[in-house]
């Protein structure tokens, strides 16, 4: 054993392979190509530049990420056994912070990585890069073991006094010496040397680890994050790491973080560059293997994808190796999938079965559904993450808990239990939703260019839904006590039922404040009490009136539960203390208009008044009294014998009749006396109107013109003029009398038998005849009477008539119709009459006819003339000539036996 070196038993090399891991060597390029493009730095370590340096083209080595790598004729590594050397001096350098150089999980996690990496879709990327031996590069790698080098640093390990590449090689030599069972150095052996946080090493005078040292000092030559190289036949990599710096990727979470919330970087930073150097050394161990030839830089497969991780899982994971989570950079693939990828080889297939539709789940309860994820493909299926999305309701959970990672061989299945457990204090039914997410490496390979996010990580989602079952308090039963009599009590029952979908807790049942005295809840069980779904409990409420007074019973029973929609249920209490209450259907009976004439139908109107006992005790009516100004017009028809009792809720009908004794408005009162304590008497007003007929005569006066007297024309009946009589009153007109007087000369038909009746607004015609027996002016009247003693009707139409002998009356007018004040000459001559008439008169002055009923002007009148033109005197006639101012007009006419002509002659 070398002094200062602690030997650790070497682990047995374990080969980890997977299905489809064998691959033929890629076609070899022409050897001339290697000669044209030798490795740019064949005699110094191949360093992994920092993120800043990597992206600094053209001033720095910004490696190409589009051009495929080419083969340059040298060696590649196969079936490599890897050894991890942790240089952790027993005596720490002066000033090194307390807490040690490595996190507690650092060594174990590095060891796990080397156990895991071989035989994975990730490591399978290397199988496409063969050499000129024609031998396949298998998808296998082994972990030979680890060793802790406790040798004191030969240098301080600071930017002022860094370790050197020679120091790293010496540590490897010490490890080999301390572990004689380790595999001998060869193209199938690789050593990885790890130093603690912020320990600085320079591979040469210009290239140093890019970080502040553990004393907090910066350096001027910081360029790399790690490197790989060889010491003859010893192929190795140096893996430093720092707390912060430009060797970190862009994520802020790390799956192997020493912090529970994944926020503290540690071993993941070292493993990221470990995979970088491992993949580069495996494909280009001596600087003459696989790299591109862009801009004079040897772009090895790690360089081409440096700091390219693709999508991360919620815990920072982007690669899963044999079921363990890592955050590793992507690696270059010349074939499909092409570009910076994390899997190669046979493709897996993801099949997810199960349903997360939970239906209704009671609050405070839970339900679990199983989801099965199966690999139905031919390659290894890596489950990068299985978790509930960030938008999922907190009631959902998944077992195994996230973060979850797994690697499934073809046909293998992972089972997940998704549980929904709504909080017992939830107040809403939802629905609540979530999403169970399964991210895998089951992606469609891209043939060219770089893969998309979807071609790096396949996301599968299963929607989860549930409705929260809540308790619902339903109350049935009535607390209407109806009528409660003093000295007794009444009980009512209400039932509380849990009609919801979760247990219901009843915390209190009480009589509400302000409720009527005398109310109580009987035999209340111990509260709180909980009702199962569908269960119920009954409560008895009692009312005992505290006194004799009537009135309403009001209040509430307050039921307090944990029903979120209705935590306080107030059940109304109703009822009353019994008493009699008199109600009438109306306090004002209006009978409208009724005819006063008892011969008219209707001559009275009977209206019903309903007296109701709306109380809860018998009502005794002791008196029914009609009074008022016109009380005699109102009567109760068939009234009951008094006193009369009306039961609770019962009614009594009273028939009240109105028979008016006079026209116009009539009023009275009906007073009802009872034992209603609040209304000992109720007064009902009685109103109506007495209606009588009216008589309207048209015309209002009748005037007869000159009428020949009876002796001039025997058999002549005289002149007749109709008078239209209309009932313009409010009730039926009964014509008791219709007379024209004096008689003679006036006459009318008179009243009929039976008497004529005319409805309001109708009319009849009464003919009036004027038959004079002598010459002269006669006046009289037509009278119409309805003789109802309680208010009939009467009308008188004035009559006037002029009795004359057969003759003419002449008025001479000018062309304008204006009477001449004087007519110079007027000649009347008969022709063929029984008696000859030949009259010449003049001058004639304008004067008024002496017996006319209305003032009538004339210049000439002749009575007692013989007839002319009658059937007995055919051909006979008269001529009449009027002369005025030297002008004259002649007219001819005939004259009947009963005719008196009023003539107007125009002289132009």
């Amino acid at each position: 054993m070398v002094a200062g070196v602690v030997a650790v038993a070497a682990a047995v090399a374990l080969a980890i392979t997977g299905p489809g891991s064998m691959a033929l060597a890629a076609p070899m390029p022409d050897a001339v190509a290697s000669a044209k493009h030798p490795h740019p730095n064949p005699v110094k370590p191949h360093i992994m530049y920092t993120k800043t340096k990597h992206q600094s083209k053209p001033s720095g080595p910004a490696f190409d990420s589009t051009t495929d790598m080419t083969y340059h004729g040298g060696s590649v590594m196969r079936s490599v056994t890897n050894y991890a050397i942790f240089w952790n001096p027993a005596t720490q350098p002066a000033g090194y912070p307390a807490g040690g150089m490595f996190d507690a999980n650092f060594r174990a996690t590095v060891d796990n990585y080397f156990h895991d990496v071989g035989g994975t879709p990730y490591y399978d990327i290397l199988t496409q890069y063969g050499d000129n031996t024609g031998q396949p590069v298998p998808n296998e790698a082994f972990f030979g073991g680890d060793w802790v080098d406790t040798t004191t640093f030969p240098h301080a390990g600071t930017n002022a006094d860094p370790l050197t590449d020679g120091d790293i090689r010496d540590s490897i030599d010490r490890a080999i010496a301390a572990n004689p069972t380790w595999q001998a150095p060869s193209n199938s052996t690789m050593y990885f040397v790890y130093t603690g946080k912020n320990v600085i090493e320079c591979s040469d005078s210009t290239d140093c680890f890019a970080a502040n040292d553990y004393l907090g000092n910066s350096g001027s030559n910081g360029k790399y994050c790690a490197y790989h190289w060889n010491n003859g036949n010893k192929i190795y990599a140096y893996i430093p790491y720092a707390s912060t710096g430009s060797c970190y990727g862009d994520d802020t979470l790390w799956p192997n973080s020493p912090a529970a919330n994944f926020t503290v970087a540690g071993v993941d930073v070292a493993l990221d560059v470990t995979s970088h150097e491992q993949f580069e050394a495996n494909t280009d161990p001596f600087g003459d293997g696989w790299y591109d030839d862009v801009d004079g830089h040897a772009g090895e497969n790690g360089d081409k994808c440096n700091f390219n991780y693709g999508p991360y899982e919620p815990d920072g994971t982007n690669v899963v190796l044999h079921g363990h989570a890592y955050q590793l950079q992507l690696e270059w693939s010349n074939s499909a999938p092409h570009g910076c990828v994390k899997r190669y080889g046979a493709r897996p297939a993801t099949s997810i079965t199960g349903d997360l539709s939970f239906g209704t789940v009671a609050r405070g309860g839970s339900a679990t559904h199983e989801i099965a994820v199966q690999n139905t493909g031919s390659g290894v299926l890596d489950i990068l993450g299985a978790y509930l999305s960030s938008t999922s309701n907190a009631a959902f959970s998944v077992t195994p808990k996230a973060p979850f990672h797994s690697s499934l061989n073809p046909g293998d299945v992972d089972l997940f239990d998704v549980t929904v457990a709504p909080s017992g204090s939830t107040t809403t039914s939802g629905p609540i939703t979530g999403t169970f997410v399964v991210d895998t490496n089951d992606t469609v390979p891209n043939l060219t260019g770089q893969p998309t996010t979807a071609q790096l990580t396949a996301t599968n989602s299963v929607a989860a839904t549930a409705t929260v079952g809540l308790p619902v308090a339903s109350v049935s039963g009535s607390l209407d006590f109806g009528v409660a009599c003093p000295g007794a009590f009444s009980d009512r029952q209400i039932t509380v039922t849990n009609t919801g979908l979760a247990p219901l807790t009843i915390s209190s049942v009480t009589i509400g404040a302000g409720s009527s005295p005398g109310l109580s809840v009987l035999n209340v069980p111990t509260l709180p009490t909980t009702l199962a779904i569908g269960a119920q409990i009954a409560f008895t409420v009692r009312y005992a009136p505290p006194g004799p007074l009537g009135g309403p019973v009001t209040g509430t029973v307050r039921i307090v539960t944990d029903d979120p929609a209705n935590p306080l249920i107030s059940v109304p209490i109703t009822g009353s203390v019994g008493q009699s209450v008199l109600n009438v259907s109306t306090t004002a009976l209006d009978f409208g208009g009724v005819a006063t004439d008892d011969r008219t139908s209707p001559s009275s109107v009977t209206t019903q008044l309903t007296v109701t006992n709306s109380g809860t005790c018998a009502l005794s009516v002791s008196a029914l009294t009609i009074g008022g100004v016109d009380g005699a017009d109102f009567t109760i028809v068939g009234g009951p014998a008094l006193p009369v009792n009306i039961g609770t809720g019962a009614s009594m009908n009273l028939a009240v009749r109105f028979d008016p004794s006079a026209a116009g408005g009539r009023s009275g009162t009906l007073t009802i006396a009872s034992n209603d304590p609040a209304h000992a008497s109720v007064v009902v007003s009685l109103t109506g109107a007495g209606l009588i007929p009216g008589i309207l005569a048209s015309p209002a006066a009748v005037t007869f013109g000159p009428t020949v007297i009876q002796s001039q024309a025997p058999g002549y009946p005289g002149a007749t003029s109709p008078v239209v009589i209309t009932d313009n009153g409010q009730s039926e007109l009964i014509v008791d009398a219709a007379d024209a007087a004096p008689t003679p000369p006036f006459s009318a038909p008179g009243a009929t038998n039976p008497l004529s009746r005319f409805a309001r607004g109708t009319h009849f015609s009464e003919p009036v005849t004027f038959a004079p027996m002598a010459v002269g002016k006669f006046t009289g009247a037509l009278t119409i009477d309805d003789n109802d003693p309680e208010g009939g009707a009467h009308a008188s139409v004035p009559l006037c008539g002029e009795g004359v002998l057969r003759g003419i009356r002449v008025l001479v007018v000018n062309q304008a119709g204006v009477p001449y004040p004087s007519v110079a000459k007027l000649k009347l001559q008969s022709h063929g009459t029984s008696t000859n008439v030949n009259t010449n008169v003049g001058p004639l002055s304008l004067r008024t006819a002496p017996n006319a009923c209305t003032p009538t002007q004339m210049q000439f009148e002749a009575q007692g003339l013989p007839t002319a033109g009658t059937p007995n005197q055919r051909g006979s006639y008269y001529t009449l000539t009027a002369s005025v101012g030297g002008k004259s007009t002649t007219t001819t006419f005939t004259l009947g036996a009963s005719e008196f002509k009023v003539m107007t002659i125009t002289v132009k």
Side-chain angles (χ1 to χ4, degrees):
M1 179 176 294
V2 179
V5 176
V6 177
V8 177
V12 176
L14 174 64
I16 304 175
T17 61
S21 62
M22 303 299 291
L24 296 177
M28 297 299 107
D30 194 327
V32 177
S34 176
K36 289 182 179 179
H37 300 284
H39 196 287
N41 297 295
V43 294
K44 63 184 296 185
H46 184 90
I47 64 176
M48 171 186 170
Y49 284 101
T50 65
K51 186 175 183 181
T52 303
K53 289 285 187 180
H54 179 81
Q55 297 173 344
S56 63
K57 184 178 181 179
S59 62
F63 294 101
D64 177 80
S65 61
T66 58
T67 306
D68 287 342
M69 295 194 302
T70 57
Y71 179 60
H72 295 81
S75 300
V76 299
M77 302 180 75
R78 291 182 177 81
S79 303
V80 180
T81 298
N82 299 289
Y83 296 95
I85 301 167
F86 302 97
W87 195 352
N88 188 10
T91 301
Q92 304 256 315
Y96 199 88
M101 289 192 170
F102 298 97
D103 295 326
N105 70 333
F106 191 94
R107 178 181 176 185
T109 306
V110 171
D111 291 355
N112 285 341
Y113 168 79
F114 286 118
H115 273 299
D116 289 338
V117 69
T120 64
Y122 182 65
Y123 199 74
D124 205 18
I125 298 169
L126 296 176
T127 63
Q128 59 187 293
Y129 303 117
D131 59 17
N132 52 19
T133 66
Q135 296 299 313
V137 177
N139 179 11
E140 60 183 16
F142 308 97
F143 180 44
D146 69 2
W147 182 71
V148 178
D149 186 354
T150 60
T151 304
T152 301
F153 287 158
H155 301 279
T158 62
N159 275 305
D161 183 21
L163 298 177
T164 68
D165 182 60
D167 297 332
I168 303 305
R169 295 184 183 191
D170 290 344
S171 180
I172 295 171
D173 289 340
R174 288 192 293 272
I176 293 172
N179 296 279
T181 60
W182 281 11
Q183 179 173 288
S186 70
N187 283 11
S188 295
T189 305
M190 187 168 180
Y191 306 95
F192 292 83
V193 179
Y194 297 88
T195 56
K197 286 183 183 179
N198 299 90
V199 173
I200 305 301
E201 188 263 11
C202 294
S203 62
D204 58 24
S205 61
T206 60
D207 296 339
C208 298
F209 177 42
N212 291 342
D213 60 30
Y214 55 81
L215 298 177
N217 300 318
S218 62
S220 59
N221 293 318
K223 293 182 180 178
Y224 74 81
C225 297
Y227 63 81
H228 71 90
W229 193 225
N230 66 84
N231 180 14
N233 63 349
K234 297 179 186 133
I235 302 170
Y236 66 94
Y238 171 58
I239 313 295
Y241 82 111
S243 301
T244 60
S246 58
C247 293
Y248 284 64
D250 57 358
D251 198 29
T252 57
L253 299 174
W254 293 271
N256 295 294
S257 170
N261 61 359
F262 310 107
T263 57
V264 177
V267 67
D268 287 297
V269 179
L271 287 178
D272 177 33
V273 297
T274 296
S275 68
H276 177 108
E277 301 304 335
Q278 181 184 31
F279 273 59
E280 288 190 342
N282 280 204
T283 56
D284 189 26
F286 301 108
D288 56 1
W290 288 88
Y291 53 87
D292 65 28
D293 297 307
V294 179
D295 295 337
H297 296 290
E300 295 177 338
N301 57 351
D303 296 326
K304 296 174 70 61
C305 301
N306 200 11
F307 300 107
N308 186 345
Y309 302 89
Y312 300 99
E313 294 301 300
D315 64 342
T317 300
N318 73 326
V319 173
V320 170
L321 306 176
H322 282 100
H324 298 137
Y326 298 97
Q327 187 180 107
L328 306 175
Q329 73 164 72
L330 306 181
E331 298 293 345
W332 185 265
S333 171
N334 281 352
S335 303
H338 184 271
C340 294
V341 302
K342 58 183 174 185
R343 62 165 294 272
Y344 186 77
R347 184 181 171 189
T350 306
S351 174
I352 299 179
T353 57
D355 175 70
L356 296 182
S357 295
F358 289 89
T360 300
V361 180
R363 74 175 185 183
S366 66
T368 300
H369 286 190
E370 184 177 79
I371 295 294
V373 180
Q374 183 176 23
N375 180 6
T376 57
S378 56
V380 174
L381 176 68
D382 290 325
I383 296 180
L384 305 174
Y387 54 92
L388 292 167
S389 70
S390 60
T391 59
S392 297
N393 189 279
F396 290 101
S397 63
V398 62
T399 304
K401 292 183 177 180
F404 176 85
H405 314 284
S406 175
S407 295
L408 299 179
N409 290 321
D412 287 353
V413 178
D414 272 338
L415 299 178
F416 299 89
D417 285 337
V418 179
T419 299
V420 59
S423 168
S425 60
T426 298
T427 60
T428 59
S429 61
I432 57 174
T433 60
T435 303
F436 178 56
V437 180
V438 180
D439 290 335
T440 73
N441 66 341
D442 174 17
T443 57
V444 178
N446 58 303
L447 301 180
T448 60
Q450 291 288 356
T452 64
T453 296
Q455 290 171 325
L456 291 171
T457 298
T459 297
N460 307 272
S461 298
V462 181
T465 61
T467 299
V468 180
L470 301 175
V472 176
S474 298
V475 178
S476 59
S478 172
L479 295 182
D480 182 1
F481 286 91
V483 178
C485 297
F489 62 83
S490 297
D491 289 342
R492 297 290 184 269
Q493 190 174 79
I494 55 174
T495 300
V496 180
T497 303
N498 181 6
T499 59
L501 299 171
L504 173 74
T505 297
I506 302 173
S507 56
S508 68
V509 179
T510 58
I511 299 296
S515 298
S516 297
L519 290 164
S520 60
V521 182
L522 304 181
N523 303 321
V524 179
T526 301
L527 298 178
T529 186
T530 299
L531 298 182
I533 297 172
Q536 59 184 215
I537 186 172
F539 298 92
T540 299
V541 180
R542 173 169 292 178
Y543 176 61
L549 296 178
V553 179
T554 61
T556 58
V557 169
R558 293 166 52 91
I559 303 172
V560 179
T561 73
D562 63 349
D563 177 348
N566 194 13
L568 172 61
I569 301 176
S570 292
V571 183
I573 297 173
T574 58
S576 64
V577 178
Q579 64 180 30
S580 59
V581 177
L582 185 150
N583 283 319
V584 291
S585 55
T586 180
T587 58
L589 285 179
D590 185 0
F591 294 85
V594 180
T596 60
D597 194 335
D598 291 339
R599 300 171 297 171
T600 296
S601 179
S603 62
S604 65
V605 171
T606 301
T607 298
Q608 181 173 283
L609 176 70
T610 301
V611 180
T612 302
N613 178 10
S614 60
T616 53
C617 296
L619 174 69
S620 177
V621 177
S622 56
L624 299 170
T625 305
I626 290 181
V629 176
D630 304 307
D633 287 359
F634 302 93
T635 57
I636 295 175
V637 180
L642 298 176
V644 60
N645 289 331
I646 302 174
T648 299
S651 298
M652 174 182 70
N653 294 324
L654 296 176
V656 183
R657 177 172 295 169
F658 172 51
D659 185 0
S661 60
R666 314 295 286 172
S667 64
T669 57
L670 169 61
T671 302
I672 306 172
S674 73
N675 64 341
D676 179 345
H679 306 92
S681 64
V682 173
V683 177
V684 179
S685 66
L686 308 174
T687 57
L691 305 181
I692 59 174
I695 300 175
L696 174 66
S698 179
V702 179
T703 300
F704 294 92
T707 304
V708 176
I709 65 176
Q710 293 291 305
S711 60
Q712 287 273 287
Y716 173 54
T720 299
S721 178
V723 177
V724 176
I725 304 300
T726 301
D727 181 359
N728 66 342
Q730 299 171 317
S731 65
E732 180 184 44
L733 173 66
I734 300 176
V735 180
D736 290 296
D739 298 303
T743 301
F746 300 103
S747 64
T752 62
N753 185 15
L755 299 176
S756 297
R757 296 170 178 262
F758 299 94
R760 175 185 176 187
T762 62
H763 62 271
F764 66 95
S765 181
E766 182 74 9
V768 179
T769 300
F770 175 54
M773 304 296 290
V775 175
K777 180 180 179 181
F778 300 92
T779 60
L782 171 66
T783 57
I784 305 294
D785 290 286
D786 181 328
N787 294 327
D788 174 24
E790 293 180 325
H794 170 78
S796 178
V797 181
L799 305 176
C800 182
E802 180 183 2
V804 295
L805 299 177
R806 183 172 50 250
I808 63 174
R809 183 174 291 161
V810 179
L811 176 66
V812 182
V813 299
N814 62 19
Q815 188 174 359
V818 177
Y820 285 110
S822 177
V823 176
K825 182 179 180 182
L826 190 145
K827 180 178 180 180
L828 174 65
Q829 186 175 8
S830 66
H831 302 275
T833 60
S834 60
T835 303
N836 186 40
V837 176
N838 188 358
T839 302
N840 288 284
V841 291
L844 301 173
S845 298
L846 184 65
R847 58 193 175 93
T848 299
N851 294 321
C853 288
T854 59
T856 303
Q857 291 181 314
M858 68 176 188
Q859 288 98 0
F860 175 75
E861 181 180 283
Q863 295 190 30
L865 295 177
T867 63
T870 62
N872 296 328
Q873 291 180 315
R874 294 184 182 277
S876 58
Y877 62 94
Y878 287 94
T879 59
L880 176 64
T881 300
S883 299
V884 180
K887 299 177 182 180
S888 63
T889 297
T890 301
T891 185
T892 62
F893 62 92
T894 60
L895 192 63
S898 59
E899 191 171 9
F900 183 90
K901 287 183 181 289
V902 177
M903 305 174 67
T904 301
I905 297 174
T906 302
V907 177
K908 301 180 181 180

